[in-house]
Every structure is written in C-alpha cells, then in structure tokens.
Amino acid sequence: MPNIVTSFDHLANLEKYSHEKPYLALLPPADDFDPRKDRRDNLEFKTHTGIVVHDIRHSITSYRVEDCGFEVFHHQTNFPILEDELALKHYQDETAGFLENFFNAVHVTCYDIRLRRNVSMPRETFDFNDKMLLEGPARGAHIDVTMNSGPEIIDRYLSPIEKDLYLRPGYRIQIFK
C-alpha cells in the first residue's frame, strides 16, 4: 500500500490557551441552558494539510515502544464482541494480562476504556457513567496523558498500597492509551 497524504485537525495554538486551559464541559440537561445553543467549551481547531502517512507494514519489526513510543503486535482477543459490562471487564483483564506478559510488568492497571466506532454519532444527551456508551471518533488528533496529568492519573488510579509499593526506586511507571 502506498503512503497517503491526508489532513489532521489539531487544537489550535492560540494565545488564550497560555492563560486559559482548553475545556469542554459536558453537563446534564437543565432548564437554564440548551446544549445545542449554549456553548460550553473554548475549543478551537485548526486543520493541518499535506500530512504524509507512511505505510509501515513492510518494516513493522523496526518499531519498538522503547524507541518510538509505539509497537505493532498481533493479538487475537477472546472477547471480540463487547456486549455487556461483564464482557468489558473480561476484556480489560485480558488486556492487563497481555501487557503484563508483553512488558514483563509486575503490575498493570486498566483505568479507562471507551467503546468507539468510526462513524459520527450525534446525540443530544448521553451518560458518561454508562460503561457501554458507544462513541464516535475522538475530535482532533490529541494526546490523553501530559507531563502534568501523568502524576494525577497515578494518584487517582493506584490504591494507597500500590502507591506505597510501586512509587519507589526499582520500579518504573508507564502509561499507555
């Protein structure tokens, strides 16, 4: 397959973000505002064109997570259809087991999961607490973990016992999404 040229939407590099963090407030419906009319975010996107996406299939083994932050591997899940919360839990456990084995890790925590389909899913209301919520593609190219949010994620999702055990010399924490 040849390389392709495409475009990506990114959060615009605006001066206001130096003093106002980008935000999107997903609030429950209320009498005092209509989410279809009243904007609850300050997000501005810019489209970057002419981005070359390279076909790496001929050199998959050249990409190692230690060198470039990702790695391609094949894994056949035992839970290809996630139809209820129990299947979702089994899938998370399977993923944790795979990662423990792949990285020879002492401990893995799967702290977040999103069910997505590559189709637009416009809707007026939804429940983010619903673990089976099916979402469309994320808007814009983005990262989920930053230098600031990494320690917050560790603090939020590791138990006090796990923090005492793993936040010490001899252990390394990696966050993958």
Side-chain angles (χ1 to χ4, degrees), residues 106-144:
V106 174
H107 178 73
V108 170
T109 298
C110 291
Y111 67 89
D112 190 18
I113 191 164
R114 295 276 182 251
L115 300 176
R116 294 193 186 274
R117 295 284 185 264
N118 195 22
V119 293
S120 179
M121 298 189 175
R123 59 187 95 173
E124 293 182 18
T125 62
F126 51 89
D127 180 0
F128 261 132
N129 294 318
D130 178 3
K131 292 181 179 178
M132 299 305 297
L133 175 66
L134 185 60
E135 300 180 56
R139 181 171 176 209
H142 66 283
I143 59 171
D144 292 303

Side-chain angles (χ1 to χ4, degrees), residues 55-116:
D55 181 1
I56 65 167
R57 287 177 286 189
H58 64 281
S59 58
I60 277 179
T61 57
S62 301
Y63 296 91
R64 307 283 304 160
V65 72
E66 297 86 3
D67 302 323
C68 57
F70 75 95
E71 191 161 337
V72 179
F73 52 84
H74 298 282
H75 171 74
Q76 183 68 41
T77 181
N78 291 314
F79 305 95
I81 299 174
L82 302 174
E83 57 193 12
D84 56 35
E85 288 188 28
L86 182 60
L88 199 63
K89 173 71 173 118
H90 288 315
Y91 179 76
Q92 283 182 286
D93 292 344
E94 178 187 56
T95 301
F98 174 84
L99 293 171
E100 282 178 356
N101 205 26
F102 187 81
F103 289 111
N104 196 25
V106 174
H107 178 73
V108 170
T109 298
C110 291
Y111 67 89
D112 190 18
I113 191 164
R114 295 276 182 251
L115 300 176
R116 294 193 186 274

Side-chain angles (χ1 to χ4, degrees), residues 22-40:
Y23 70 88
L24 167 64
L26 299 172
L27 304 172
D31 293 334
D32 62 339
F33 89 95
D34 181 348
R36 294 167 296 184
K37 297 177 186 170
D38 300 324
R39 189 171 173 183
R40 296 291 192 234

Side-chain angles (χ1 to χ4, degrees), residues 5-13 17 43-51 53 137-143:
V5 179
T6 189
S7 62
F8 288 119
D9 290 340
H10 290 263
L11 192 62
N13 187 14
Y17 295 145
L43 303 179
E44 309 262 346
F45 289 88
K46 179 179 179 186
T47 300
H48 297 267
T49 59
I51 308 293
V53 177
R139 181 171 176 209
H142 66 283
I143 59 171

